[in-house]
Amino acid sequence: MTPDALEQRVRAVVDAHRGDRGALLPILHGLQAEFGYVSHDMVPIVARELNLSRADVHGVVTFYHDFRPEPAGRTVVKICRAEACQSVGAEKLAEHAQQVFGVKLGQTTPDGSVTIEQVFCLGNCALGPAAQINGRMYGKLDEQRLDRLIRNAEGNA
């Protein structure tokens, strides 16, 4: 995408949310929905449009883990690492996923197929260890079930 085309699309999202109270967060969510990520190239455009510093916009983008600086994989796996899930095997599950896909938590496989992320509560504490795969919640996971669910998700991506 050319820089001019990117600026036009970013400005359209900004314009759609300019009147919102505390417009920065709705704009960033809009960019995430539109592009799948909020790139470093978008930050100065948003800052200029809202009369904010780039540091202010960058600080908000990097503070919230849901804003990605680059596209996610076709399958996004969020493994809960909060205390309740840790107590029933979440660490082992996270280590397994990292080993199987050859990436660290927060990274995407080189082929763009899978992103493995950590979260610190999915609200599924009674059914831990829990994970969310492409927005769908799963509980009582073990390594084999996680592998099977990810393979199924990849087939549907």
Side-chain angles (χ1 to χ4, degrees):
M1 174 179 314
T2 68
D4 288 340
L6 175 69
E7 182 158 354
Q8 282 184 323
R9 287 180 64 192
V10 170
R11 289 179 79 195
V13 172
V14 170
D15 289 343
H17 297 283
R18 192 181 298 276
D20 293 357
R21 184 171 182 209
L24 181 55
L25 279 174
I27 288 167
L28 294 175
H29 283 291
L31 292 172
Q32 183 85 14
E34 173 81 15
F35 294 94
Y37 60 101
V38 180
S39 75
H40 300 293
D41 295 336
M42 297 174 192
V43 169
I45 300 166
V46 172
R48 187 173 52 251
E49 289 296 313
L50 295 179
N51 197 27
L52 297 170
S53 73
R54 285 188 233 178
D56 287 338
V57 177
H58 175 77
V60 172
V61 170
T62 57
F63 178 78
Y64 293 103
H65 295 285
D66 280 345
F67 298 128
R68 319 172 181 282
E70 56 195 28
R74 292 179 297 281
T75 300
V76 177
V77 180
K78 296 181 179 187
I79 299 173
C80 181
R81 296 186 66 210
E83 290 81 2
C85 284
Q86 277 185 29
S87 70
V88 290
E91 291 304 312
K92 187 174 170 188
L93 203 60
E95 289 171 15
H96 172 78
Q98 290 175 91
Q99 183 177 16
V100 167
F101 293 100
V103 296
K104 294 181 190 280
L105 296 173
Q107 294 182 334
T108 301
T109 57
D111 66 357
S113 63
V114 177
T115 297
I116 305 291
E117 297 180 342
Q118 64 181 343
V119 294
F120 290 96
C121 193
L122 290 167
N124 202 22
C125 304
L127 299 175
Q132 191 179 70
I133 302 171
N134 289 343
R136 186 163 179 196
M137 185 74 67
Y138 297 94
K140 297 198 181 257
L141 293 173
D142 60 22
E143 291 90 346
Q144 295 76 29
R145 184 162 179 241
L146 180 67
D147 290 347
R148 189 172 58 254
L149 290 167
I150 293 171
R151 277 195 310 274
N152 290 343
E154 286 181 292
N156 295 325

